[in-house]
Amino acid sequence: MADLRSFLFRFRKPRSVGKNYVYFTKTVKDSLINKVKRITSSAFIFVIAFILSNVFLQSLIIIFSRSFKYKLKITYSHITVMPHDIHYWSLPRVIVIYFVPTVLCLALGLIIINLLVTNTAIVNRFRLFIFWFGMCLVNIFFSHLLFAPFGIGGN
């Protein structure tokens, strides 16, 4: 029985009372209005983190495209790297312009999530933003991994 308790409560810090340990749990009575406020603020923070993660990816694509002196057409939803002629493109250039920024997003997202897991002392809205930002960066990599084969068709 003691092994089961130590397994179940291994993440809580026990308070020693003599030879026995006493575990405390804190419950907070919360109203519906406060729950709705937390949900809407989390959704708002998520939207901001999603927008900033996409801006981060697009800025990396801009930086790598400019390093090859390609012309860019920047619109509200995406960046078009010109020229469209196949003679200007090679596999290493495609990898540098489109694959490296997504891998950098994955690496940064995993670093951010790792920092959040190891540093649990601070709980505030900035931490929630960092959590959503890390999740969006990781999601960018997996969404590009999912949709990249559709661009191979030759269109």
Side-chain angles (χ1 to χ4, degrees):
M1 186 67 174
D3 294 330
L4 180 62
R5 273 192 208 154
S6 65
F7 176 74
L8 292 176
F9 300 108
R10 65 182 172 190
F11 298 112
R12 296 183 189 165
K13 293 182 179 179
R15 191 177 111 188
S16 177
V17 179
K19 292 183 179 181
N20 298 327
Y21 289 101
V22 178
Y23 295 93
F24 291 100
T25 58
K26 187 175 183 180
T27 57
V28 178
K29 293 181 181 176
D30 207 2
S31 66
L32 180 64
I33 294 172
N34 287 337
K35 290 178 184 177
V36 170
K37 283 181 184 178
R38 279 199 310 271
I39 290 170
T40 55
S41 66
S42 179
F44 182 69
I45 290 170
F46 168 72
V47 168
I48 292 172
F50 180 75
I51 290 170
L52 288 178
S53 65
N54 281 325
V55 167
F56 178 72
L57 174 70
Q58 298 301 327
S59 63
L60 287 177
I61 291 174
I62 288 171
I63 290 169
F64 287 120
S65 298
R66 293 280 182 177
S67 68
F68 287 114
K69 296 182 174 69
Y70 285 154
K71 292 180 182 176
L72 300 171
K73 182 180 178 184
I74 300 172
T75 61
Y76 69 95
S77 63
H78 67 280
I79 296 173
T80 304
V81 182
M82 296 184 183
H84 294 294
D85 193 11
I86 197 165
H87 300 293
Y88 291 100
W89 291 93
S90 64
L91 184 61
R93 288 182 180 210
V94 171
I95 288 174
V96 168
I97 291 176
Y98 291 109
F99 183 68
V100 171
T102 57
V103 171
L104 289 176
C105 287
L106 175 69
L108 183 64
L110 291 177
I111 289 170
I112 287 172
I113 292 169
N114 188 22
L115 289 174
L116 287 176
V117 168
T118 57
N119 300 329
T120 58
I122 300 171
V123 178
N124 56 16
R125 288 194 175 133
F126 181 70
R127 181 180 170 88
L128 184 62
F129 169 76
I130 295 297
F131 167 76
W132 283 124
F133 186 67
M135 287 295 168
C136 287
L137 287 174
V138 171
N139 186 30
I140 283 174
F141 174 78
F142 287 115
S143 64
H144 279 253
L145 187 68
L146 178 68
F147 290 113
F150 295 131
I152 296 175
N155 293 331

